[in-house]
Amino acid sequence: MDNRIWWKEAIVYQIYPRSFKDSNGDGIGDLRGIISKLDYIQSLGVDAVWLNPIYKSPNDDGGYDISDYYSVQPEFGRMEDFDDLLKGLHQRKLKLIMDLVLNHSSDEHPWFQESRKSKDNPHRDYYFWKPGKHGGPPNNWPSFFGGSAWEQDQPTGEYYLHLFSRKQPDLNWENPLLREELNKLMKFWLDKGVDGLRLDVISAISKQTDFPDTDTPDFNETIRKYYANGPRLKEFIKESKEKVWDHYDVMSVGEGPGITPQNAKDYLDEQDGLNMIFHFGHMFMDQGAGGRFDPIPWTMKDFKQVFKTWDDAFKEKGWGSVFLGNHDFPRMVSRWGNDRDYWEKSSKLLFTLLLTMRGTTFIFQGDEIGMTNTRLSAVSESKDIETQNGWREAQKKAITEKDFLKAANYAGRDNARTPMQWSDEPNGGFSQGKPWMNLNENTSDFNVEAEQHDSHSILNYFRQMTNFRKANRVLTYGSYQPLEALPDSLFLYFRESDKEKLLIVLNFSDQVTNLPDLVRPKISERLIGNYSDPGNTDNVRAWEAIVYRCKT
Ligand code: TEU
Ligand code: CA
């Protein structure tokens, strides 16, 4: 593997700063808190950190509403703290991937404050303004956060577009002056030595500027057909690449809601595309037509198919990312595993998948110790605008709070945002002050401190698995060959290179099941697994994960 590429081999650890570690007792995680945990991060065996937005923001949407792209959110610290964090990461051979939100800004950004003043303001076309129609918004587009994607604004009386909250007006990439501003701010952060950019909702930056009505009530279909994959998307990505990214050794990963297996590789061209994207094939699989708070059952058959579909999409060209959770989704062990009877085994099984699948692995903070979903007992406890607005919309449909809470506790983003569980000290060692958000009630049961010293803990299995992935390059560059025609709960796949072949066996069920006869003769030795005793090759135990070396 002479053409080794760091971002293909990297294991990336995602940090949501507000909930990671508070250093000054105000109950809010901050940059110096992250600095205090750099040795822990390094001990995980990861190669890079993806930092959710740290820029000045009114925090309407967890920092994804930026009011100054050039300064650090005061609650998180100062620019010097950022510089110290970057230095601390680089000293430990860790790379930093920054999260940039370029599809929209905060409505408190000076650009928007100017833009809204008058129709002929020089900043007017930094955003999308349209007159209303028939006394209402210009079209029927729904916002990700409920209600219309248009907000009427005074003094001009026109409507502005906001695919997300009304405090997140969409930036008008049609305007070359605006694009120049965005290129400038990207260069500002890259000149500091940042190693990668995670580009928020990059799939939506090119709009269909005639703004046709959506013809479907299915929200995810509306995203795909109307918000994502706009006519100039490839052009805008190419321009940013040529004007900015190509001048740095920087990795670009685009967040791509609405991108499809058919068109993904169009955006990942070596010459003029992104390095990789996050797709949402599995993430939206259990969302009904009404989106996140309209959950529908998911099946292992579909789950396995998503991995095959997307691996096929990147077989010839492009590169995928592999994740099972982040700050926008419930905790992976609660969603895909069994966080009651097989919490430890299923957490470890999910890591075995993440760290043996083809594509760059992204791990969300806290998943390495098996953090689970939290439980809101009232919607008022939610700290997330998507849940709060979702409840506003649910009430219009006479949905009871009890029923809405069931959906929010299953699918809501609060699940991922409870503070990191460091120890059984007060507030889980996260803060000396009152945390901005309640910790999970199970913090004293399991936390970093407790797992650090337990050789069978999820945390230490995670460390074994990151080392295992890096010691076996076939897991990065090898082919992915899933076995078909198996019981739905049995997920088996080969990873093969010209030198070696591994078989990964994952039992996504509480039942013991047989290892299929066809694979048994191919096995030469068991390399790693989530049961401390090796068991036998006749069957696979409940939530058992095993990696075998195959005879070649
Ligand atoms: O999320 C955009 C996105 O992909 C949405 O589908 C998201 O997964 C969810 O449905 C909205 O919660 C990005 C950020 O990851 C998210 O935290 C922000 O709220 C959103 O963009 C707006 O910036
Ligand atoms: Ca703090």
Side-chain angles (χ1 to χ4, degrees), residues 291-310:
R292 180 186 297 274
F293 300 112
D294 174 22
I296 53 174
W298 60 277
T299 68
M300 266 310 293
K301 193 170 164 38
D302 291 345
F303 182 80
K304 295 192 283 190
Q305 184 55 47
V306 166
F307 286 92
K308 166 129 181 56
T309 301
W310 282 95

Side-chain angles (χ1 to χ4, degrees), residues 193-426:
V194 162
D195 306 287
L197 295 178
R198 180 265 188 188
L199 298 158
D200 188 63
V201 206
I202 198 76
S203 50
I205 59 173
S206 164
K207 309 310 188 205
Q208 297 180 36
T209 50
D210 52 346
F211 294 105
D213 276 348
T214 174
D215 64 358
T216 168
D218 183 311
F219 185 55
N220 284 316
E221 209 179 320
T222 290
I223 297 173
R224 194 168 46 70
K225 287 173 73 173
Y226 294 93
Y227 300 172
N229 310 304
R232 300 181 69 185
L233 181 54
K234 277 193 275 187
E235 176 196 335
F236 291 155
I237 291 172
K238 178 176 163 66
E239 183 183 280
S240 292
K241 187 173 188 306
E242 285 170 354
K243 292 197 170 177
V244 183
W245 312 331
D246 279 350
H247 302 276
Y248 302 85
D249 175 15
V250 64
M251 173 273 268
S252 55
V253 51
E255 190 205 24
I259 285 180
T260 68
Q262 292 70 34
N263 71 9
K265 51 182 162 305
D266 297 348
Y267 303 119
L268 301 180
D269 191 287
E270 204 88 356
Q271 295 316 313
D272 49 18
L274 297 158
N275 293 139
M276 59 182 148
I277 59 152
F278 290 127
H279 72 74
F280 289 82
H282 48 337
M283 288 298 164
F284 293 161
M285 183 168 74
D286 57 358
Q287 292 189 3
R292 180 186 297 274
F293 300 112
D294 174 22
I296 53 174
W298 60 277
T299 68
M300 266 310 293
K301 193 170 164 38
D302 291 345
F303 182 80
K304 295 192 283 190
Q305 184 55 47
V306 166
F307 286 92
K308 166 129 181 56
T309 301
W310 282 95
D311 191 80
D312 287 346
F314 298 132
K315 249 194 193 15
E316 269 74 51
K317 188 170 97 165
W319 190 255
S321 59
V322 182
F323 68 105
L324 291 175
N326 63 27
H327 64 294
D328 285 334
F329 293 97
R331 284 283 174 185
M332 69 172 193
V333 69
S334 301
R335 186 178 191 188
W336 313 112
N338 176 340
D339 65 0
R340 294 169 312 285
D341 319 316
Y342 291 93
W343 162 72
E344 179 232 320
K345 289 287 182 292
S346 64
S347 289
K348 292 178 178 178
L349 176 140
L350 294 169
F351 282 130
T352 310
L353 183 157
L354 281 171
L355 290 160
T356 58
M357 196 49 85
R358 196 169 85 100
T360 298
T361 310
F362 286 76
I363 304 283
F364 181 55
Q365 72 178 42
D367 282 347
E368 77 274 18
I369 57 170
M371 281 177 69
T372 64
N373 280 356
T374 185
R375 253 192 58 69
L376 303 174
S377 49
V379 178
S380 56
E381 284 172 25
S382 169
K383 302 288 184 188
D384 177 19
I385 187 168
E386 186 170 28
T387 296
Q388 292 153 7
N389 287 12
W391 171 229
R392 185 194 67 204
E393 296 305 306
Q395 291 174 95
K396 292 176 191 168
K397 299 173 207 150
I399 293 169
T400 65
E401 181 168 10
K402 182 165 163 285
D403 286 348
F404 179 76
L405 270 174
K406 199 155 157 270
N409 282 326
Y410 167 76
R413 304 193 298 182
D414 290 279
N415 284 310
R417 300 176 179 190
T418 56
M420 185 70 181
Q421 299 170 194
W422 293 107
S423 70
D424 61 2
E425 291 166 291

